[in-house]
Structures are given as structure tokens and as C-alpha cells.
Amino acid sequence: MVLEATMICIDNSEWMRNGDYSPTRFQAQADAVNLICGAKTQSNPENTVGVLTMAGKGVRVLVTPTSDLGKILACMHGLEIGGEMNLTAGIQVAQLALKHRQNKKQQQRIIVFAGSPIKYDKKTLEAIGRKLKKNSVSLDIVDFGESDDGKPEKLEALLAAVNNNDSSHIVHVPPGPNALSDVLISTPVFTGDGDGGSGFAAAAAAAAAGGLSGFDFGVDPNIDPELALALRVSMEEERARQEAAAKKAAEDAAKQEKGGEQASSSHDATMAEPNSSSVPAVDDKRHNLTDDEAALLEQALAMSMDDPKSTNVAVADTDMSEATADDHELALALQMSVQDNAKDSPTQSEMSKVLEDQSFVSSILNSLPGVDPNDPSVKDLLASLQGQSESQQKQNEDKQENEEDK
Amino acid sequence: MDSAAASAIPRGQVDLVDFVDWSGVECLNQSTSHSLTNALKQGYRDDVGLHLESDADEQLLIYIPFTQVIKLHSVVIKGPEEEGPKTVKLFTNKEHMGFSNVSDFPSSDSIALSPDNLKGKPVNLKYVKFQNVRSLTIFIEDNQGGNDVSKVQKIVLYGTTVDTTNMKDLKKIEEH
């Protein structure tokens, strides 16, 4: 949370055309710059960041220290590669830009991206470093790209001359598959002096690690609330169905059990029931599910459209990576619905089974305000429901739909 | 500049350490283990073991703001013989100076310290130039022995405040 004014010195020399960092050195550098600007402005809203280029026709300040992130990102566009990097002039101009910062209370910091070879000798660099230290300017060096002519040693000497109380850092990034910005995220360049800045850095690291941000279904409710809601609703529907199906299986298995026990199990409707799910578990080997967003989305759409065929397709297409309890239930539920469809009876038959279970219904009615299960009219209704649902199993769908409306 | 009677503080003047605004005090090119408070703050400055030391080279730039407007009469700078400061320039009311603009404008006063001064003899300043001082910048340009490191044992500022120049309230502070 240090109040800081930062000048970033970009290397846009010919050496940046090389592709040993993907996609090109220059692009990797630009990404890293964007990330750093974001991190600095987030860690303290009063921080300012400026950018200058060291190569090309000469040292050119693209934007003076500002807290406007948009301006900084905009100036990174349309930069041309060419020329040779002038490190000493770049650092001196950066120092001058920082000297004229508007808020004198800000600490001064320069971040240098050194990608091309350094033609200056150690003495010159050390003199520059001492001058920076004298004016209490911290320096962060990102050593990437070319590494020859004793470049790392020169940069280390520069760092040693500048370093005051570990406020300056150097990072050597060798070429490789990792992006430059990913490597930098974990370094003190990003995280500041061990202190804060880590909120942004942590979020960036999590995103960079790829994949889900840890939310349910892999969808951020902030970004896409409707999708998240649809997925959640369909998941709950499947859970309810699976609950009912499991309960039916338990009922059949232990017909002589009293209704009270089943009522207590029905209260756990929204919670996972591994015991009951173990019964149909044997059949589940075929159907595998993953956290795959596309698969979930297809299933959600399929269920909402009540289209059994597409549900079947979705299940068949997915592969298993990690089976969680949720997915297990979902698999079972899907399988039940698939099997039901195979038998050519409607999915609504499951609903009738739910209604058929008088204890379940009475427990629901208990939870409804204003309804007294001991009321004779309610009892009659229940009895009629039960009788009707039994007859429906022998008859066709239409009567079931009528019962649904009740 | 080299007036007589070193020990007693100048008549009618006050030690201005009480009027220093500590939140704004800055020192460029100081060594982190030997900082300005060692030379300026009461108690620290009298401790022989604590001193202010320069870091990268022999120059030091000290910025001292005050809580109220003062008139500066004289100053005492104590230091070791070899590494104590020699040429000292004083600037008034210039905020956030850097080493690059010390030569941009003339100083309010420039003093050359003798070994006597380094032992504690106060240096009288051009009083007329220091009538309305909100902040003081002390630029130590070089040291007695021409070393790479300058050391300052103690800095004392003597003067009066503009608002309450009440002679009756002046306490005679004994210098040791």
C-alpha cells in the first residue's frame, strides 16, 4: 500500500522481434507492463504510473505518471520496434519525469525491462545506480531476452549500487513456455516490498493458473448471473428428482418401514445422500461427468427444454476428470431421466411418484403455512392424489398432467 | 561569522528543536542506520554514539519544516574533525529540493565550517535573510577531509518565533 510514482522503461529495440517468449518478446513485455500498471494502481488508488520507450529514435516519454489506467493502456498500442536501447538515457529521463511528479509525497520507482544486450560498462551503471540511490529512487530490473556479454553481472552491479534497504529488485526471466507476466507475478516486482499489492496479484495468479475461478459451476455470478442461476436451478431440480427416485428405491427395498422414517429422510431433500446414491451406483459406470462448462450448459438447456435426446448426447460426450459428489448426483439423476425416457414414460411420472409418497407430501404440507394436514379436506385430497397416482401408472400421460396442475 | 563566547546560547534566542515539524523532515542520501534523527532530535543528538552519516557520496540534503514561522539567528553543527561538514549552504522556504537544483538558485547563506565550529561554536547567520522562515534546507556540500562519507554529530538551530517573541518566556538552555 506504499504511495508510489512509477516509471516503466520499455525496451522496443530490434531484439524484441525474437519469438523465444510467446508470441514475441515485445508482446510478452507489453502484457507484463499492463499487468504491472494494473497492480500498482489497484494497490493504492493514488499511485501513478508512467511509461517511456528507450529505443527507437530516442528515449521518448509516452505518458507521464498518471493514475489513469486507460491512458497507460492506450499508449501501449501502436508502438514500433526498432533501434537500439539506450539504458542510461532511459533511466535518467525516468528520473527526471519522477522528479516532476505532482504529488511529492510519493516514493519514486523505476522499472526497467532490459531485453537487449547492454553496451555500457559496469562503472557507468554503478554511477547511475549511486545517483538513483542518492535521490532515493528505487529500481526494479527485469532481465529477459538476450543474455550475453556479462549482462546479468552488469545488472546485478547496477542493482547493488541502487539498492537501499531491499527496496530494489532484479528478476532474471529465462526464455521458456511460461509467459513473462506469469513469472513476474510471483516476484517482488509485482507484490511490492512484501507488503500489499497482493490482492491484485493473487487474483491475477489465480486467473493465470487457468480455468475456474472457484465459483460454483465454473461460472462467475458477477459476470453472467443468468447462466449461473440457470445452472443452479437445474442442478437443484435434478437433485430433487434424484432424491425422489432414491427414496422410491428405498421404499421398495424396505416396504415394512414406517412412513415416519422416510419423512425424516425427505427433510434432507436439499442435502446430499451418499447412502441412497450408492444403490444405483453400480449402473453409473457408463455415465461420466466433468466440471466441463459446456457439458453442464448443454444439460441445463436440455433439461429446461425437456428434451431427453440432447441430454443423452451430452452425457455420452463428456469424459471424467474429477468426480465430485455433486456430479455423481447429477449423473444419477440424468441416468434416471434417461432410463425413464427409454421406458417411454414421461419425466413427469417422477413427480407423481413424489406425490404418491404420502409422507413426503404431508411433510411438505406441514411446512406450508395455513395448511393443516389433519384437516379433513386436506386428507381427502391426499387420499385422492394417492389413488389417482396409482391408477395413472397404468394409464397414459394426459391424466397425470391434470394432476400436476393440482 | 566567528563571534566570541562559544558555550552560551545567543541572548534572546531559543533552541528551535521544539518547533520542528517532524512529520515533514526529510534527508536525502542519508545512510539508513545513521539517520537524521540522530543529529537533530533531543536526546539523540547528545549521544556521542549516534550520528548522521551520508550514503552514496559525501553530500547531504536536509529538509526541515517548522510548525510556525521563525527567525533563524545562528546554527551549531558538530561533527568529527575529518568527516565533519565543511561547506554548508542554507536555503529557506524551498520545498522538496533535490541535489540537481541546489545550484539553480542562490542560497540564503553559505557557511564554511572551521574545526572550532565542529566542536560546537555557533555560526551566526545573515539574520536579515532568515526573517520569515517556514522551512529550512541544509545542503552539506563536502566535508573537512574530502572523504566519501560525511558525518554530523549534532545540529542545533537557534532563533525566535515570529508570533510569540516574548523575551520573558525564553529559557536559558545550557549547552554541555
Side-chain angles (χ1 to χ4, degrees):
Chain A
M1 274 296 187
V2 186
L3 184 56
E4 230 177 26
T6 310
M7 274 304 287
I8 304 184
C9 303
I10 296 182
D11 182 1
N12 60 335
S13 60
E14 284 288 346
W15 279 270
M16 293 299 110
R17 288 192 203 276
N18 198 329
D20 51 0
Y21 299 79
S22 61
T24 60
R25 283 180 185 171
F26 186 69
Q27 257 311 343
Q29 200 189 181
D31 291 338
V33 171
N34 292 339
L35 271 177
I36 291 179
C37 293
K40 294 285 179 198
T41 46
Q42 263 213 357
S43 75
N44 188 328
E46 286 191 48
N47 278 352
T48 55
V49 181
V51 177
L52 62 80
T53 53
M54 291 191 283
K57 289 213 181 80
V59 176
R60 191 162 70 98
V61 176
L62 298 174
V63 59
T64 56
T66 170
S67 51
D68 183 358
L69 192 58
K71 223 197 242 185
I72 300 166
L73 297 179
C75 82
M76 294 292 297
H77 283 294
L79 282 179
E80 292 189 352
I81 300 180
E84 258 189 35
M85 175 178 85
N86 190 345
L87 183 65
T88 48
I91 292 181
Q92 282 169 338
V93 172
Q95 201 180 338
L96 194 64
L98 285 173
K99 198 173 102 162
H100 292 288
R101 65 195 185 284
Q102 292 202 313
N103 183 357
K104 300 287 181 192
K105 286 209 185 342
Q106 288 168 329
Q107 303 274 333
Q108 304 172 69
R109 180 173 291 272
I110 300 179
I111 303 181
V112 172
F113 283 86
S116 40
I118 299 189
K119 54 182 186 270
Y120 306 98
D121 57 344
K122 250 194 204 176
K123 276 218 167 60
T124 323
L125 294 175
E126 278 175 359
I128 291 180
R130 272 198 298 273
K131 195 154 163 251
L132 287 177
K133 179 152 87 159
K134 198 168 154 186
N135 288 288
S136 72
V137 179
S138 318
L139 180 66
D140 287 338
I141 309 173
V142 179
D143 173 20
F144 70 112
E146 301 290 318
S147 64
D148 54 339
D149 285 4
K151 183 175 164 197
E153 288 82 29
K154 283 183 187 172
L155 292 175
E156 291 279 357
L158 173 60
L159 183 82
V162 177
N163 204 352
N164 186 9
N165 241 2
D166 269 343
S167 67
S168 302
H169 317 98
I170 184 170
V171 182
H172 302 277
V173 186
N178 301 329
L180 186 59
S181 25
D182 290 341
V183 176
L184 284 178
I185 281 175
S186 54
T187 59
V189 172
F190 236 98
T191 58
D193 294 330
D195 190 36
S198 52
F200 183 88
L212 309 172
S213 53
F215 292 107
D216 290 338
F217 315 114
V219 174
D220 183 357
N222 295 328
I223 295 173
D224 201 342
E226 290 150 0
L227 178 56
L229 183 63
L231 288 172
R232 201 181 331 130
V233 167
S234 62
M235 179 66 114
E236 283 172 11
E237 268 179 15
E238 278 311 315
R239 248 190 227 130
R241 286 185 203 171
Q242 187 255 328
E243 277 292 319
K247 226 180 325 60
K248 180 85 172 94
E251 244 184 69
D252 294 341
K255 268 184 187 172
Q256 289 161 13
E257 281 185 27
K258 291 184 183 175
E261 291 175 28
Q262 287 173 356
S264 65
S265 70
S266 71
H267 276 294
D268 299 333
T270 55
M271 283 162 33
E273 278 190 327
N275 291 331
S276 56
S277 66
S278 66
V279 175
V282 183
D283 300 328
D284 194 40
K285 305 287 176 164
R286 278 191 303 127
H287 297 282
N288 300 320
L289 284 176
T290 66
D291 291 342
D292 194 357
E293 273 188 50
L296 277 171
L297 177 52
E298 280 190 45
Q299 289 153 17
L301 287 173
M303 285 173 230
S304 58
M305 286 192 299
D306 209 14
D307 186 356
K309 284 182 188 169
S310 59
T311 308
N312 204 358
V313 167
V315 172
D317 279 347
T318 56
D319 297 322
M320 178 187 288
S321 66
E322 265 185 302
T324 64
D326 289 345
D327 284 340
H328 205 56
E329 286 184 359
L330 193 49
L332 296 167
L334 282 171
Q335 199 207 340
M336 302 301 260
S337 60
V338 165
Q339 283 175 349
D340 286 338
N341 293 331
K343 290 177 198 164
D344 218 13
S345 66
T347 54
Q348 289 161 347
S349 66
E350 290 184 333
M351 185 60 90
S352 67
K353 284 179 198 167
V354 171
L355 287 176
E356 178 185 298
D357 183 0
Q358 184 168 13
S359 55
F360 182 58
V361 172
S362 60
S363 70
I364 285 184
L365 289 176
N366 275 329
S367 61
L368 287 176
V371 175
D372 183 9
N374 295 326
D375 195 7
S377 56
V378 175
K379 275 190 172 174
D380 288 338
L381 186 61
L382 279 176
S384 69
L385 269 178
Q386 210 165 8
Q388 278 178 342
S389 59
E390 283 174 355
S391 64
Q392 273 161 22
Q393 293 212 330
K394 302 158 192 171
Q395 293 179 4
N396 54 19
E397 299 174 305
D398 292 339
K399 284 190 182 172
Q400 281 176 353
E401 283 177 357
N402 291 333
E403 288 307 317
E404 285 296 320
D405 293 340
K406 282 191 186 169
Chain B
M1 283 225 299
D2 292 340
S3 56
S7 308
I9 58 165
R11 185 149 289 275
Q13 306 301 326
V14 177
D15 188 341
L16 294 173
V17 69
D18 300 325
F19 303 105
V20 170
D21 178 10
W22 292 103
S23 63
V25 166
E26 275 172 23
C27 180
L28 286 184
N29 200 28
Q30 65 180 340
S31 149
T32 39
S33 49
H34 300 96
S35 62
L36 180 60
T37 45
N38 291 352
L40 204 54
K41 254 197 174 165
Q42 204 120 35
Y44 289 82
R45 63 186 185 185
D46 296 318
D47 188 341
V48 184
L50 297 174
H51 57 270
L52 165 67
E53 204 176 284
S54 70
D55 196 3
D57 60 11
E58 72 279 4
Q59 298 185 339
L60 279 166
L61 195 61
I62 304 168
Y63 172 69
I64 304 173
F66 297 101
T67 53
Q68 46 177 300
V69 181
I70 50 131
K71 299 181 207 259
L72 194 62
H73 178 267
S74 55
V75 64
V76 170
I77 298 179
K78 268 171 90 168
E81 269 187 44
E82 276 298 300
E83 296 104 346
K86 188 162 90 180
T87 314
V88 177
K89 289 190 175 156
L90 298 167
F91 300 86
T92 56
N93 301 334
K94 295 271 188 322
E95 294 204 347
H96 300 112
M97 282 183 71
F99 287 104
S100 43
N101 44 7
V102 284
S103 40
D104 284 352
F105 27 72
S107 59
S108 303
D109 203 354
S110 171
I111 45 183
L113 293 173
S114 67
D116 276 348
N117 297 122
L118 288 177
K119 292 211 182 63
K121 193 160 141 202
V123 180
N124 285 346
L125 308 169
K126 291 187 188 130
Y127 197 40
V128 291
K129 297 259 176 124
F130 294 95
Q131 288 299 299
N132 208 348
V133 178
R134 270 230 144 255
S135 71
L136 183 68
T137 305
I138 303 173
F139 173 50
I140 297 175
E141 199 165 347
D142 50 25
N143 53 46
Q144 300 281 338
N147 301 338
D148 274 339
V149 173
S150 300
K151 292 186 185 166
V152 180
Q153 182 66 40
K154 184 172 174 179
I155 297 176
V156 189
L157 307 166
Y158 291 112
T160 54
T161 60
V162 173
D163 300 341
T164 55
T165 319
N166 193 347
M167 292 297 177
K168 293 199 205 76
D169 292 5
L170 293 178
K171 302 183 286 279
K172 186 117 188 213
I173 300 173
E174 284 302 321
E175 260 212 312
H176 72 128

